[in-house]
Amino acid sequence: MEPAGSVVLGRILTLAGDHGLGEVAAIAIRDGCVVAAGSRSDVEVLIGRRTRRIELGPDEVALPGLTDSHLHLAEAAIAIDAIQLARAETLEDGLGRIAEAHQTADSSAWLTGHGWARDRWGGWPTAAQLGRVAPGRRVALWAHDHHALWVSPEALVIAGVGMTTADPSGGAIRRTEDGLPTGILHESATVLVTAHIPAPTAAAYEAALPRLGRDLVALGVVAVHDPGLLRPNPRLDGPQRAYGNLADAGRLAVRVHASIRSEALEFVIARGLRSGDGLGADAEGRARLGWLKLFADGSLGSRTAAMLEPFEPDTGSGPAGGPGRDRGMWVTEPKVLERLTARAAAGGIATQIHAIGDAAVRAALDAFRSESTRALRLRARIEHAQLVDPADLPRFGQLGIVASVQPVHLRTDADLARRAWGARAERTSYAWRSLLRSGATLAFGTDAPVEPIDPWPGLALSINRRWAGWPPGTPDFGPDQALTLVETLRAACLGPAQAEGAHDRGRLTAGQRADVMVIPAAAITQPIEVDGPLATTRPRLVLIDGKVVFEA
């Protein structure tokens, strides 16, 4: 019997079977895959003179590496060097950061960044405010949810946005009572400005991605589903090319499925690419084509989520696009969702649909009614599914839909949801237990750079439904929708692999890829607190294909 290249000995969670953790005492690894999992005696017969022994301490546990099922990896890599407003607690603080960047940037450069929030700042910021702190400068700053763009007067001018500019389909230009643009663009209206911002080159992405990749593996993340850019990329000459080049050079730190947007669909079909195909020269490399990413609606924070019933009354400045938009908006009309999903399926491309509001979730499920949209290598999936009408829950299981959810969103969304959705919020939003019970496959992610790349706080939040930053006395949000530790680990390790149709990832059983992380056992044995061992987990060791990629 051929000896193993390495063995891991100690407490190991394999996630074998349909339920539970599948705990064993040892696994053997050869040629990048697990070849045996069981007792120490089962595995020790495979130990040879050159076999590496990885002995876990009594306070450690090994389990499959994490896959982030919704991380804008390329966008996050580039955004590291942009203006960061997520920690600007007030508008004045944010303006100060922008003014500082204005003083140091080249005079011809755009200022870009992200992280501001209307609710945190007490209202919508304006172009005039940017004009005061960065006079003459073209500025474009994404909101925390990346569904609204705050732009300067100069950006509005270069985009030709004025009083007579009509709202584009699937978007809205926020205006004063006199009809003047305020400097806030919602949903597809953001493209009016972003189309004028020079796009990063593939070389820029290639330079930025390895740094973020190293950070991810240090957190135990071994694979990512990148849902795409915030800007058009019709010929895949940005991130997809960079991913392929990095994979071919052996410099892509994690496995990546990179999605496309609708403007690239015909280009991809014409090239004969299908979901799951390699993006580099090596068809079995780490970079693969992902899904077609469509947007049914907008977001909770911008009140552009498409709703079956109206939002609760807004004490702020009203819905995007003015009166008549109290049920949010369609970024893509339901019939168009169905047409694009069917067209993609005919070309071998699976689809993922962003859906926040309950009307959007229903439309997304309708788009997947045809079996042809679900009979593909990668599975049909709905992103976020934050508010789901109870009547639609059984359809997830009936249609075999993946619910790609980001527990960490509840950190900032809990108060927003209670105010925007009222009694519906805790009955039918962020309903992870109901989704799981319906038969949906849960796949966890972070949605970075909307949220930090660290997945562990979100895992804790999925179990305890509370956050340390909430005001004292704030009750847990919908505690009946909390998941167990076992369900959480399976949604973080196994669910995303199932979403990509991978039968050789997400577990540590014989035949599976040896993507392993070693973490403190306290993460799974101690009480799940907001700042406890699970929320603050840092791996000691991470393997991808049986090779050490991180060691603390």
Side-chain angles (χ1 to χ4, degrees):
M1 188 176 296
E2 185 179 353
S6 58
V7 295
V8 182
L9 305 170
R11 185 179 184 186
I12 302 165
L13 313 180
T14 68
L15 304 190
D18 296 330
H19 307 282
L21 295 174
E23 186 171 336
V24 299
I27 60 172
I29 299 167
R30 185 192 307 125
D31 298 329
C33 292
V34 176
V35 294
S39 67
R40 290 180 75 102
S41 59
D42 292 333
V43 168
E44 284 175 343
V45 297
L46 296 174
I47 296 176
R49 287 188 306 157
R50 297 184 179 181
T51 301
R52 178 182 180 181
R53 298 173 64 105
I54 300 173
E55 291 271 7
L56 305 187
D59 58 348
E60 292 183 321
V61 62
L63 64 160
L66 305 174
T67 295
D68 191 317
S69 75
H70 194 111
L71 193 165
H72 300 266
L73 182 57
E75 200 80 54
I78 291 291
I80 289 173
D81 296 321
I83 299 172
Q84 307 295 322
L85 297 174
R87 295 187 178 181
E89 293 298 326
T90 65
L91 172 63
E92 290 70 26
D93 184 6
L95 290 172
R97 296 173 189 229
I98 296 161
E100 182 178 345
H102 171 63
Q103 294 299 321
T104 58
D106 183 273
S107 61
S108 63
W110 280 80
L111 287 187
T112 60
H114 65 103
W116 61 270
R118 178 196 82 151
D119 290 271
R120 191 190 332 133
W121 285 0
W124 295 104
T126 67
Q129 292 162 341
L130 288 176
R132 286 197 295 272
V133 299
R137 176 78 71 174
R138 293 167 294 178
V139 185
L141 304 163
W142 288 104
H144 168 77
D145 60 12
H146 285 64
H147 285 263
L149 191 68
W150 175 26
V151 301
S152 64
E154 289 72 23
L156 290 172
V157 169
I158 198 172
V161 176
M163 182 179 289
T164 60
T165 306
D167 286 351
S169 176
I173 301 167
R174 188 166 286 278
R175 306 172 191 271
T176 66
E177 291 183 358
D178 298 330
L180 289 171
T182 66
I184 298 295
L185 307 175
H186 293 280
E187 309 304 340
S188 66
T190 62
V191 179
L192 297 173
V193 166
T194 59
H196 297 275
I197 302 174
T201 63
Y205 287 113
E206 286 182 48
L209 282 163
R211 173 175 52 169
L212 187 56
R214 290 190 293 271
D215 293 341
L216 286 169
V217 295
L219 290 165
V221 177
V222 300
V224 165
H225 300 164
D226 183 343
L229 295 175
L230 298 168
R231 65 173 71 244
N233 182 30
R235 299 183 65 82
L236 308 190
D237 51 5
Q240 283 84 357
R241 180 177 297 176
Y243 287 138
N245 290 344
L246 287 169
D248 289 345
R251 298 178 57 230
L252 189 58
V254 296
R255 310 181 195 281
V256 177
H257 277 74
S259 293
I260 63 169
R261 298 292 168 87
S262 59
E263 73 275 359
L265 179 58
E266 294 304 324
F267 175 78
V268 169
I269 291 174
R271 286 184 59 186
L273 281 172
R274 295 171 173 263
S275 289
D277 285 354
L279 291 173
D282 181 1
E284 299 301 316
R286 288 187 179 178
R288 304 292 183 91
L289 184 69
W291 293 257
L292 167 66
K293 170 72 179 294
L294 299 177
F295 288 82
D297 64 348
S299 72
L300 169 63
S302 294
R303 291 194 170 221
T304 50
M307 306 292 297
L308 293 173
E309 299 296 334
F311 283 99
E312 298 297 310
D314 187 7
T315 57
S317 51
R325 289 282 180 86
D326 60 353
R327 296 188 190 218
M329 67 170 62
W330 295 107
V331 173
T332 307
E333 292 286 341
K335 291 298 182 184
V336 179
L337 288 176
E338 292 186 27
R339 175 174 58 80
L340 289 172
T341 301
R343 172 60 179 147
I349 308 296
T351 298
Q352 57 185 149
I353 301 178
H354 164 111
I356 300 290
D358 48 8
V361 172
R362 179 168 295 175
L365 289 165
D366 288 345
F368 291 130
R369 282 179 296 192
S370 171
E371 186 176 353
S372 66
T373 65
R374 296 177 277 113
L376 298 162
R377 179 175 176 181
L378 274 59
R379 290 175 57 185
R381 50 193 279 175
I382 295 177
E383 307 301 309
H384 312 305
Q386 288 182 352
L387 185 69
V388 183
D389 188 273
D392 289 319
L393 282 168
R395 301 178 67 194
F396 279 84
Q398 292 163 2
L399 296 175
I401 303 300
V402 174
S404 170
V405 299
Q406 302 74 43
V408 73
H409 279 322
L410 196 54
R411 173 179 68 97
T412 52
D413 284 0
D415 181 59
L416 291 174
R418 284 174 167 133
R419 288 189 282 116
W421 293 335
R424 291 168 289 182
E426 297 191 57
R427 286 203 313 265
T428 58
S429 72
Y430 308 88
W432 308 320
R433 170 150 301 288
S434 293
L435 284 166
L436 192 62
R437 191 181 296 123
S438 79
T441 295
L442 286 186
F444 279 179
T446 60
D447 205 4
V450 173
E451 302 285 354
I453 65 168
D454 184 356
W456 297 100
L459 301 194
L461 210 158
S462 74
I463 298 168
N464 58 31
R465 309 277 290 197
R466 76 177 73 97
W467 188 259
W470 292 349
T474 302
D476 297 354
F477 189 97
D480 59 318
Q481 292 295 335
L483 299 179
T484 66
L485 174 67
V486 173
E487 292 163 344
T488 290
L489 293 178
R490 294 179 74 91
C493 303
L494 180 59
Q498 294 174 324
E500 67 191 46
H503 300 291
D504 62 350
R505 282 204 328 105
R507 307 180 199 266
L508 294 178
T509 54
Q512 296 279 298
R513 291 180 180 269
D515 295 349
V516 186
M517 62 177 172
V518 177
I519 65 172
I524 66 168
T525 59
Q526 296 298 309
I528 309 300
E529 302 293 347
V530 289
D531 290 320
L534 179 64
T536 58
T537 292
R538 292 295 180 268
R540 174 179 70 82
L541 185 70
V542 179
L543 284 66
I544 297 180
D545 285 333
K547 297 179 180 178
V548 174
V549 293
F550 171 79
E551 190 165 9

